[in-house]
Structures are given as C-alpha cells and as structure tokens.
Amino acid sequence: MSTLLVIAKTPLAGRVKTRLTPHFTPQQAADLARAALEDTLAAVLATPAGRRVLVLDGRPGCWVPEGIEVVPQTAGGLDVRLAAAFSHVDGPTLLIGMDTPQVTPALLAQGLDFSETDAWFGPADDGGFWALGLAEPDPALLRGVPMSVARTGREQRRRLTASGRTVRDLPELCDVDTPADAAQVAAAIPGTRFATLHGGLCAVTR
C-alpha cells in the first residue's frame, strides 16, 4: 500500500513563514502558509494512494480535508522529525513538505512509481529537497543529515546512493521561503488558493 506523507506546521502567525516578514505581516504570512498547505493537500487527495498522512506540528484545523490522516510530529531537529515521519508507514512512500503548492497529482504519482527505482529525490532550488520517496522506508536514511543548509539536498541524495539504492530525480521546485519565492511560485500557478491570496495581498500593499 503506497503512502503520501506531508510534513507541516499548523499555520499560526509568528510560527510559520517568518522569512516572509516584514514584507507581509505575520498573519498574512500564516495565511499564505495555510493556502500553500491547502493547495498541497488538494493535490495529495487527487493522487492515487493507499494512505494520505499529514504529519503535523501543532493542532489540526478546518483546513484539513476529509481523507487525510493526521499524526503528530515528534520532537527534535528536522532530520529526526523527517525520520520519525517514515516510522508511521510501511511500503512505498513519498514524503513532501508544505512549501511547494505548485505540486500536481501527476508529479506526486510519479514519485510513487517505484517500478524502476528504489528511491525518488526532489531537489529544491535553495539546495534542499522538497520530496523524498522510498520503496522501503528506512528512517535511518535521514537521521544525521544536516538540514536547512545549502548542502542539505546533496548530503541527503548521497546518503541514498551510499545505501546502495537506485535513485531517480523529480523536477527541481522552488520552496516558498522568501517574498521572492512566493512571487515566483504564485506566478507559476494562477488560480490556486496560494496565487489568489498572494495577488490580493500584494494589491493591498501597493
């Protein structure tokens, strides 16, 4: 049974997307985070999978749609929390974050196809990664990888290949971290919750 994992924080002002401030207020940044998460979960729901699990730091709200399981994140650094997310599953699994609302069901389905590979790696343009897929989940593959630095993606992919797994790459995507990232992603996905909200907020601040 294949699983889609989404690791995320509850979109509360001052706790999420703090790098979007002061260009946006803390509440506006949280609203953008919520829109990004809602777009991401919509894509997850539209993707064929046996389970769809939101691994959440915080309390769930009305923005969690039916069909999405919610489990709490463990404490610790990001590497520990990502590793723990994989401990919730058995079988082929693709893990993504809440920072890429431009994901599509087709792209997610690709990352769940392990017919010709043992692992999928989705690089982010900031040097990190937006997706990690494993035919056989192994939390140890993530523990100890330095997170949120320019070499994170390189180190994580090296960890995969060093384990003897075959690895294929998904397209590089832009994580929404900064105002420039938000503008770039919004322009690429018109009509989504994220793009619509971003456009409205930018119109107000002009």
Side-chain angles (χ1 to χ4, degrees):
M1 182 171 67
S2 62
T3 301
L4 274 167
L5 290 173
V6 181
I7 190 159
K9 289 182 179 180
T10 296
L12 294 176
R15 292 197 68 243
V16 293
K17 297 299 165 202
T18 55
R19 292 172 61 190
L20 292 180
T21 59
H23 186 85
F24 297 102
T25 68
Q27 184 58 58
Q28 289 171 338
D31 291 343
L32 285 167
R34 173 173 169 167
L37 180 54
E38 288 179 323
D39 284 334
T40 299
L41 293 178
V44 166
L45 279 176
T47 304
R51 293 180 67 196
R52 302 170 182 86
V53 183
L54 175 61
V55 188
L56 187 64
D57 176 4
R59 297 172 63 90
C62 60
W63 34 266
V64 180
E66 290 188 16
I68 301 288
E69 301 175 47
V70 180
V71 298
Q73 282 188 37
T74 189
L78 182 55
D79 64 315
V80 174
R81 288 182 281 130
L82 293 177
F86 277 101
S87 71
H88 292 291
V89 299
D90 294 303
T93 300
L94 180 68
L95 169 74
I96 63 171
M98 62 184 286
D99 300 329
T100 50
Q102 67 271 49
V103 294
T104 64
L107 193 54
L108 297 178
Q110 181 183 354
L112 283 173
D113 180 3
F114 294 97
S115 58
E116 297 181 359
T117 191
D118 302 316
W120 285 99
F121 182 77
D125 64 358
D126 61 359
F129 60 96
W130 68 269
L132 179 64
L134 297 172
E136 297 180 3
D138 181 358
L141 288 170
L142 293 108
R143 297 191 192 104
V145 174
M147 295 288 165
S148 303
V149 295
R151 71 180 191 281
T152 293
R154 183 171 67 252
E155 291 293 334
Q156 183 63 74
R157 197 182 192 287
R158 183 194 61 78
R159 183 76 70 88
L160 296 174
T161 56
S163 72
R165 288 168 170 78
T166 57
V167 183
R168 296 183 66 181
D169 292 320
L170 293 165
E172 181 178 276
L173 295 183
C174 174
D175 278 345
V176 175
D177 290 320
T178 68
D181 296 334
Q184 177 182 331
V185 171
I189 50 172
T192 61
R193 296 172 183 84
F194 183 83
T196 300
L197 176 60
H198 182 272
L201 293 176
C202 289
V204 169
T205 58
R206 286 194 186 103

